[in-house]
Amino acid sequence: DTAVSQTPKYLVTQMGNDKSIKCEQNLGHDTMYWYKQDSKKFLKIMFSYNNKELIINETVPNRFSPKSPDKAHLNLHINSLELGDSAVYFCASSSDRTLEPQHFGDGTRLSIL
Amino acid sequence: AQSVTQLDSQVPVFEEAPVELRCNYSSSVSVYLFWYVQYPNQGLQLLLKYLSGSTLVKGINGFEAEFNKSQTSFHLRKPSVHISDTAEYFCAVSEDTDKLIFGTGTRLQVFP
């Protein structure tokens, strides 16, 4: 069983479009995250939610809006896509805010044409 | 502020040879340290972690790391690598594990 699953795996779209990436975890974890990995493999946190509440909100354009309908899901909606948004987006989860390391999904590769 | 430096962007090594991947961090408080591995087209998997206690930490797949507070290092080692260890390795640090700060990664390439 997949612990953290993201859909879609690949997303190719044009500049200016709006798109969403979905994430679900079946681990019963309380905390979920979105990370962005750029073309140089650099990985940076974007958002963190704990029990549906926003905990971490890094310096991310407000075109990016996370939504957590319940603690097992954390979706990422992106408006007005730009070329610089091309990256791999990873969802992750953890059970304990203080000590538990994070479990990652396989990533969504977003390509903007 | 926390930061992580992985000095080697690529490490080529022959199969069955030992390997060390270097990681240095900076932080003004106690930290938690992690090593993750990323295989092609996959997400990250935790190899090992240091939270407290023994400074020598053993992880999965025969990897181990040693926390050295005086040198602010957390180098990853394996005594004998396999072709299947070819992957990207990331060191990460956290002061409260809500926010992992990742290094830029080291590409380990194992040759037959």
Side-chain angles (χ1 to χ4, degrees), chain B residues 74-107:
Chain B
F74 191 55
H75 300 332
L76 181 70
R77 301 186 183 101
K78 186 169 182 178
S80 175
V81 294
H82 302 290
I83 295 283
S84 59
D85 292 323
T86 294
E88 194 86 24
Y89 290 79
F90 292 92
C91 181
V93 63
S94 173
E95 291 173 2
D96 61 8
T97 74
D98 253 1
K99 187 173 163 180
L100 289 182
I101 304 296
F102 284 88
T104 50
T106 297
R107 170 83 177 155

Side-chain angles (χ1 to χ4, degrees), chain B:
Chain B
Q2 305 166 67
S3 69
V4 179
T5 302
Q6 291 182 247
L7 292 168
D8 306 304
S9 59
Q10 293 187 63
V11 173
V13 65
F14 286 108
E15 196 172 20
E16 297 183 7
V19 72
E20 178 180 84
L21 306 183
R22 297 182 291 169
C23 173
N24 288 88
Y25 68 93
S26 66
S27 175
S28 57
V29 298
S30 296
V31 296
Y32 305 114
L33 294 156
F34 305 83
W35 273 101
Y36 287 83
V37 60
Q38 184 179 28
Y39 298 104
N41 299 314
Q42 293 185 27
L44 279 70
Q45 296 176 34
L46 180 69
L47 275 178
L48 48 78
K49 61 184 177 182
Y50 172 80
L51 302 179
S52 65
S54 174
T55 57
L56 183 62
V57 180
K58 292 192 183 296
I60 61 171
N61 301 341
F63 284 93
E64 63 180 32
E66 185 155 19
F67 170 56
N68 188 320
K69 189 173 182 179
S70 63
Q71 296 186 6
T72 60
S73 68
F74 191 55
H75 300 332
L76 181 70
R77 301 186 183 101
K78 186 169 182 178
S80 175
V81 294
H82 302 290
I83 295 283
S84 59
D85 292 323
T86 294
E88 194 86 24
Y89 290 79
F90 292 92
C91 181
V93 63
S94 173
E95 291 173 2
D96 61 8
T97 74
D98 253 1
K99 187 173 163 180
L100 289 182
I101 304 296
F102 284 88
T104 50
T106 297
R107 170 83 177 155
L108 175 64
Q109 180 74 52
V110 182
F111 294 95

Side-chain angles (χ1 to χ4, degrees), chain A residues 63-79:
Chain A
R63 298 182 294 105
F64 290 79
S65 53
K67 287 197 171 42
S68 182
D70 56 63
K71 76 173 191 177
H73 295 83
L74 180 62
N75 304 323
L76 183 65
H77 189 75
I78 316 170
N79 289 328

